[in-house]
Amino acid sequence: MVDSLVYEFRAALWPWESRRDLWTFVTLPDDASDEIAAVTDGSARGFGAVRVEAWIGAVRWRTSVFPQQTGGSYVLPVKRSVRDANRLEVGDEVSVRLEVLR
């Protein structure tokens, strides 16, 4: 059993097409997504959600990552308060630190 799953990566912020002004996400790297899926198989919550703690800049928050329907990679929602605190816009590349919670 893996004790802790922690990932650090860079990704671009993208809008959810249904709610462009309200929801933005970053896509986790494929290798991180594959490992999370393998380790949490059967223990994911509704919609395949996996609880995480995320950091962007100095902001840390708890949320969940969700598997994309199309590609299988997980996506991390980045709420407005995090974007505002870091002066981020859609399309910006962000550095993310992510820890899977159990």
Side-chain angles (χ1 to χ4, degrees), residues 1 8-11 34-35 40 43 50 56-57 72 76 86 89 92 94 98:
M1 179 86 147
E8 293 186 22
F9 60 94
R10 289 187 57 77
D34 291 346
E35 187 174 26
T40 61
S43 64
V50 176
I56 294 178
L76 169 70
N86 289 286
E89 300 289 334
D92 287 349
V94 298
L98 185 90

Side-chain angles (χ1 to χ4, degrees), residues 1-84:
M1 179 86 147
V2 177
D3 290 331
S4 178
L5 294 177
V6 177
Y7 305 96
E8 293 186 22
F9 60 94
R10 289 187 57 77
L13 278 171
W14 55 271
W16 182 26
E17 293 179 18
S18 298
R19 297 186 176 187
R20 210 165 279 243
D21 58 335
L22 296 177
W23 296 91
T24 59
F25 296 85
V26 295
T27 303
L28 277 66
D30 289 342
D31 58 338
S33 293
D34 291 346
E35 187 174 26
I36 291 169
V39 171
T40 61
D41 186 41
S43 64
R45 302 166 86 172
F47 302 106
V50 176
R51 291 182 42 212
V52 299
E53 188 164 70
W55 292 261
I56 294 178
V59 180
R60 181 176 72 179
W61 75 104
R62 287 191 175 196
T63 186
S64 294
V65 293
F66 303 88
Q68 285 184 314
Q69 293 177 354
T70 54
S73 292
Y74 282 86
V75 295
L76 169 70
V78 179
K79 56 188 183 175
R80 179 175 297 279
S81 62
V82 174
R83 295 190 321 266
D84 289 348

